[in-house]
Amino acid sequence: MDAESNQKLPVSSSSQSQERLKKGPKMTRKGAYAAISYMASAVLLIMFNKAALSSYNFPSTNVITLFQMLSSCTLLYAMKCWKIISFTTEPQITTNNPVTLIPFKTLVHTLPLAISYLLYMLVTMASVRGINVPMYTTLRRTTVAFTMIVEYILTRQKHSYPVVGSVGIIILGAVVAGARDLSFDAYSYGVVFVANICTAIYLASIAHIGKSSGLSTFGLMWCNGIICGPILLFWTSISGDLGRMINFPHLFSHGFQAVMLFSCVMAFSINYCVFWNTTLNSALTQTICGNLKDLFTVGLGWLLFGGLPFDLLNVAGQSLGFLGSCLYAYCKLQGK
């Protein structure tokens, strides 16, 4: 199977790059598919993770993340050995190393991406503690502003006034939605903003390193896994998470195993879609999709599970966020 033709990361000419810096890339049909695929995968992943953590009361999110990472690496290794996929977009990037499957130099080149991903995971988990959910959601949605700043610092990416305006509407909506919960906690706020910065750096690193590494989307996922996997395995070992997993009463339940299987499948899908969406579109588009995904998750959760009290400010804020996301999507589809 000719994997290289299907999994190449987009490469722009110098004139196209100048146009990107001026007004941003126009979203193609393939880019729209990538954005929709990410949002669908993200919503399904949240549901399966919620089933494992809430319905079965599984004690450790780190172990779930570890399982998802190991499953992803195993699947990528098998598909690469069977020549179903390629880790590179350039024929000259080859190696005979049966463990890494890519040259060591290329692996080192992707190290900043893997480190930013690990920080993104750890800090995001820590940011949930010590702050209520409405305010957490409000502060996390300001990631779009951090992403714009990091994109400009790393790649000199500039955005048009309509795009900046749509981002402003999203942030305003987030503030309105959390207006009733404006209790200030300097430490917790600081941790959330650090999580925002880590998220922005991770997404911008995908766009920057992905295009300069010569690796396909699958290759970038592989590098992330083999660098972060051992670190996460060590962390879950010393923290006692693996011991709690062994003593988990539903470990051999067919229902729990099915939930974990689908969770790992959707984690593989969402990781692929994050790289695919970010490299085809931009880090900012990926962040906007994350915000739009949150709106769909809230709406779907209310329809399926109920239990959400009506709050006019929250509805107004969510509506503003949805309006800003739609305006951003329109600007990208029009190439503004």
Side-chain angles (χ1 to χ4, degrees):
M1 183 179 293
D2 187 1
E4 293 184 3
S5 61
N6 294 326
Q7 302 303 332
K8 286 187 177 181
L9 295 174
V11 180
S12 302
S13 64
S14 58
S15 60
Q16 290 174 326
S17 298
Q18 292 296 324
E19 187 66 19
R20 283 176 70 105
L21 292 178
K22 289 180 181 179
K23 57 189 293 187
K26 180 178 179 179
M27 182 179 287
T28 62
R29 179 176 294 183
K30 192 174 182 180
Y33 289 154
I36 294 171
S37 297
Y38 161 75
M39 289 187 285
S41 299
V43 172
L44 290 173
L45 178 63
I46 289 172
M47 290 186 175
F48 286 119
N49 284 347
K50 179 175 177 57
L53 294 170
S54 299
S55 300
Y56 288 95
N57 295 316
F58 190 70
S60 175
T61 57
N62 286 341
V63 173
I64 292 179
T65 304
L66 178 63
F67 277 158
Q68 292 170 347
M69 197 172 290
L70 292 177
S71 300
S72 177
C73 287
T74 302
L75 183 58
L76 288 170
Y77 188 88
M79 290 194 297
K80 177 66 171 63
C81 291
W82 294 334
K83 301 184 186 297
I84 297 176
I85 62 173
S86 174
F87 285 170
T88 65
T89 59
E90 301 175 8
Q92 62 269 30
I93 304 179
T94 58
T95 181
N96 294 323
N97 191 324
V99 177
T100 63
L101 300 180
I102 60 171
F104 182 74
K105 183 178 180 180
T106 304
L107 189 65
V108 172
H109 180 74
T110 63
L111 188 60
L113 174 62
I115 296 301
S116 65
Y117 174 63
L118 191 61
L119 289 174
Y120 154 72
M121 287 195 305
L122 295 177
V123 178
T124 299
M125 290 176 188
S127 66
V128 182
R129 301 169 184 168
I131 191 170
N132 58 66
V133 173
M135 203 61 234
Y136 172 77
T137 304
T138 297
L139 296 178
R140 284 293 284 161
R141 285 184 184 170
T142 62
T143 303
V144 292
F146 289 95
T147 303
M148 293 182 73
I149 295 171
V150 173
E151 272 191 324
Y152 178 77
I153 293 174
L154 293 182
T155 63
R156 296 300 174 189
Q157 173 72 60
K158 297 179 181 179
H159 298 279
S160 64
Y161 289 119
V163 168
V164 174
S166 65
V167 170
I169 293 174
I170 292 171
I171 294 175
L172 175 61
V175 172
V176 171
R180 295 193 189 279
D181 296 280
L182 292 175
S183 54
F184 184 75
D185 182 335
Y187 174 77
S188 298
Y189 276 39
V191 173
V192 175
F193 282 124
V194 171
N196 290 349
I197 295 172
C198 290
T199 303
I201 292 174
Y202 171 57
L203 295 177
S205 296
I206 292 176
H208 181 62
I209 295 177
K211 295 172 185 177
S212 61
S213 64
L215 295 175
S216 68
T217 304
F218 290 124
L220 292 171
M221 290 171 62
W222 171 255
C223 291
N224 248 14
I226 63 175
I227 292 175
C228 297
I231 299 175
L232 190 57
L233 177 61
F234 174 75
W235 175 256
T236 53
S237 298
I238 64 174
S239 64
D241 286 338
L242 289 181
R244 285 189 288 272
M245 178 205 71
I246 294 174
N247 296 321
F248 181 60
H250 301 292
L251 185 61
F252 298 104
S253 165
H254 294 309
F256 174 74
Q257 291 175 350
V259 166
M260 287 297 297
L261 175 62
F262 283 114
S263 175
C264 290
V265 170
M266 296 317 302
F268 179 87
S269 175
I270 195 175
N271 282 331
Y272 176 80
C273 290
V274 166
F275 283 104
W276 188 30
N277 189 28
T278 305
T279 51
L280 276 180
N281 298 308
S282 69
L284 182 59
T285 299
Q286 171 59 34
T287 307
I288 299 293
C289 287
N291 287 340
L292 200 55
K293 172 264 299 179
D294 290 339
L295 295 174
F296 287 126
T297 303
V298 169
L300 189 60
W302 182 78
L303 289 174
L304 293 178
F305 307 109
L308 293 175
F310 178 81
D311 187 311
L312 186 60
L313 274 181
N314 189 271
V315 172
Q318 299 286 0
S319 300
L320 280 173
F322 183 75
L323 175 64
S325 299
C326 291
L327 178 60
Y328 177 85
Y330 174 79
C331 292
K332 301 308 290 182
L333 288 171
Q334 297 297 317
K336 295 181 179 181

